Amino acid sequence: MAVYTILFLITAAAGIPMCGLSEKKDGRTLGIYCIVMAVLFTAVSSLRFGVGYDYNLYAGWFYGLNFTDFDELRGDRREIGIFLLLKLVNIFSADYAAAFPLISLLIYPPLMYYIFKNSDNPWISTAAFMGMGLFFNSMNFMKQFIAAVICAFAFQYAAKGSYSRFFLIVLAASAFHRSALFLLPCVLFVLIDWSFMTLGITAALSAAAYAFSEPLVRWVTQYVYSMYDPDSSREMINGISICYAVMFGVLFVAAFLLRNRMTGDKRSINMIIWCCFGAFFFELIGSRYAIVSRMALLFFIPAVCLGIPKIFTALYSLSEKKKKGRGIAVIAAAVILLMGNCLFLMERNYNGVIPYRTIFEREDNA
C-alpha cells in the first residue's frame, strides 16, 4: 500500500504549490506538474509484476504474439489496435514485461495532457484519479481504459460542437475496445440540460432499467458479448459491491446540486454531469451483473477528472464568500475524503492491486 499512499500524497503536496490551491495557476509549473505525474504513473504501472487481476491475462496475450504473425492478426476477432502495437513491441522483445510500459505510455501521458488542457485544477483531478480508484482500474481493464482516455477527448469535441470529430475519435477508440461504440449516441449529452424534471425522468427510467435488468441483459447478450452466458458466466451471475455505485452516486448528486455554480460553458457542464450519471448508472446495474459495470469505465475520466475539480472549486468559492479563508477547509476536506476513499479501496484490495511488486522481484531475476 505504501507506493500508492506516497503517490497520492505527492499529488497534493506537489500539486498545491505548483497548480494553485483552488483555481489553477497559469505558467510553466502547471505543465511541469502534469509531466511529473505522467512519469510517476507510467513508472509505477510499467514496473509492476503480477499486480492487478488482469496482469496475467495481458502477459499471456503478449506471450502468444511470439507465435502470431501480422497476417494472422488481421483475421483476429480481438481489437486490432492494441494487439498491433503489442506485436510491434514483440519484434524487439519476447518478454511479456515489455507489454506494460507500452500500455502505460498509451494511458498516462495522454491522460495528464487531457487534465492539463481541460481541468479547472490539475492537482485535484490527479488526486481524484487516485482517490476514486481510476488508477487501479487502469492497471486492470487496460484495453478499455485506453479507449476511455480517447473517448474523454471525444467528449470535449462534442462539447465544442464538433460532432464529426466526436464520431471519428470514438471509432478510433473502438479499435482498442469495442464498447466505445456504445458512446456514439452519447453525443446528445451536451444538448440535454439538467433540471429537476430531467432528474425525475432519468431516475424513473433508471429504476425501470434496474427492475427489468435481467430480461434486458438476456436480450443484449443475444447480439453482443454473447460469450457472457447469463446463466453460467461468473461475471453475469455475480455482481460487484453496491458501495461503488454509492461512491459515484454521491458524485452525481453533488454535481447536480452545484450545476449552476460550476464554472464553464453549459454544454461542457451538461457533459460532465451526464458522465457522472453514466458512471453511477452502470455501477448500479453492475451490482447485479459485474460485467455491466465495465461500461462505467467509459464515463469515469470526465466525471472524476473534470467533475470533482468543478465541485470543489464551486464549494471553495461559496466558502470564501461567506468568510475569507474558510475555503482552505474545503481543500482540506477534498484531500481527506479522496485519501480516505483511496485507503478504503486499497483495504478492499480493489482490482487486485495489493501487494505492489516490481519486475525486479521476479524469480528469474533472482
Side-chain angles (χ1 to χ4, degrees):
M1 291 173 62
V3 66
Y4 305 123
T5 304
I6 293 168
L7 193 55
F8 180 90
L9 292 174
I10 289 172
T11 67
I16 291 174
M18 295 181 77
C19 302
L21 191 62
S22 176
E23 294 184 2
K24 67 180 178 182
K25 293 180 179 178
D26 294 322
R28 186 178 300 175
T29 57
L30 201 68
I32 293 172
Y33 173 79
C34 291
I35 291 170
V36 168
M37 294 311 304
V39 170
L40 291 176
F41 284 134
T42 300
V44 171
S45 179
S46 298
L47 298 177
R48 64 192 160 115
F49 168 62
V51 177
Y53 294 133
D54 284 356
Y55 185 93
N56 290 335
L57 174 65
Y58 280 76
W61 283 343
F62 188 82
Y63 179 76
L65 291 174
N66 290 312
F67 313 101
T68 307
D69 58 32
F70 284 100
D71 288 334
E72 290 175 300
L73 277 179
R74 286 186 299 186
D76 200 313
R77 294 183 60 188
R78 297 174 297 183
E79 292 88 348
I80 190 63
I82 186 64
F83 287 100
L84 181 60
L85 293 173
L86 288 175
K87 183 59 183 175
L88 291 172
V89 172
N90 182 251
I91 295 172
F92 303 98
S93 174
D95 188 346
Y96 64 82
F100 298 98
L102 169 66
I103 292 170
S104 300
L105 286 170
L106 291 172
I107 294 175
Y108 306 109
L111 173 69
M112 291 310 301
Y113 178 74
Y114 171 83
I115 288 172
F116 172 75
K117 293 292 289 184
N118 301 298
S119 172
D120 283 6
N121 196 309
W123 84 260
I124 300 178
S125 295
T126 311
F129 178 71
M130 286 286 299
M132 295 294 283
L134 271 64
F135 183 52
F136 305 141
N137 291 132
S138 70
M139 292 198 290
N140 279 275
F141 314 110
M142 289 166 267
K143 289 192 302 172
Q144 193 168 15
F145 211 90
I146 294 169
V149 172
I150 297 171
C151 288
F153 286 96
F155 276 125
Q156 292 304 113
Y157 280 112
K160 295 173 183 176
S162 184
Y163 304 124
S164 58
R165 290 189 179 184
F166 171 84
F167 287 117
L168 289 173
I169 293 173
V170 169
L171 290 175
S174 70
F176 291 90
H177 204 277
R178 294 188 187 95
S179 64
L181 295 173
F182 285 96
L183 290 188
L184 289 175
C186 295
V187 70
L188 297 174
F189 281 178
V190 299
L191 303 175
I192 304 174
D193 293 340
W194 275 96
S195 64
F196 280 99
M197 180 178 291
T198 309
L199 180 64
I201 294 170
T202 305
L205 292 174
S206 299
Y210 186 83
F212 296 100
S213 57
E214 181 176 353
L216 283 172
V217 165
R218 288 184 179 278
W219 179 75
V220 169
T221 52
Q222 291 179 30
Y223 304 99
V224 292
Y225 295 105
S226 55
M227 72 288 291
Y228 295 107
D229 186 337
D231 296 314
S232 60
S233 173
R234 184 181 64 180
E235 292 185 296
M236 292 293 281
I237 296 172
N238 300 313
I240 61 171
S241 171
I242 192 66
C243 67
Y244 307 127
V246 172
M247 186 169 74
F248 283 98
V250 170
L251 175 59
F252 166 65
V253 170
F256 174 79
L257 294 176
L258 291 166
R259 66 193 184 283
N260 294 323
R261 297 187 178 275
M262 291 181 178
T263 57
D265 65 275
K266 191 67 173 178
R267 292 157 69 96
S268 295
I269 292 170
N270 284 343
M271 178 270 294
I272 290 168
I273 299 175
W274 275 109
C275 285
C276 291
F277 172 75
F280 160 68
F281 174 77
F282 285 108
E283 290 283 41
L284 178 65
I285 304 299
S287 67
R288 296 189 68 177
Y289 307 98
I291 189 63
V292 178
S293 69
R294 295 193 183 184
M295 291 299 299
L297 284 169
L298 298 171
F299 302 98
F300 280 176
I301 294 173
V304 170
C305 297
L306 301 190
I308 289 180
K310 285 192 178 295
I311 288 168
F312 279 105
T313 299
L315 291 173
Y316 180 90
S317 179
L318 280 171
S319 299
E320 285 291 293
K321 284 180 181 178
K322 289 184 178 180
K323 185 178 181 180
K324 193 70 174 176
R326 188 175 288 181
I328 191 68
V330 173
I331 300 303
V335 174
I336 292 169
L337 287 171
L338 291 171
M339 182 66 193
N341 200 61
C342 189
L343 291 171
F344 166 73
L345 293 173
M346 286 191 285
E347 187 65 31
R348 295 179 64 91
N349 195 14
Y350 186 58
N351 282 304
V353 296
I354 304 295
Y356 180 82
R357 296 183 296 167
T358 71
I359 55 173
F360 305 112
E361 298 174 69
R362 292 196 306 184
E363 291 183 4
D364 56 359
N365 287 331

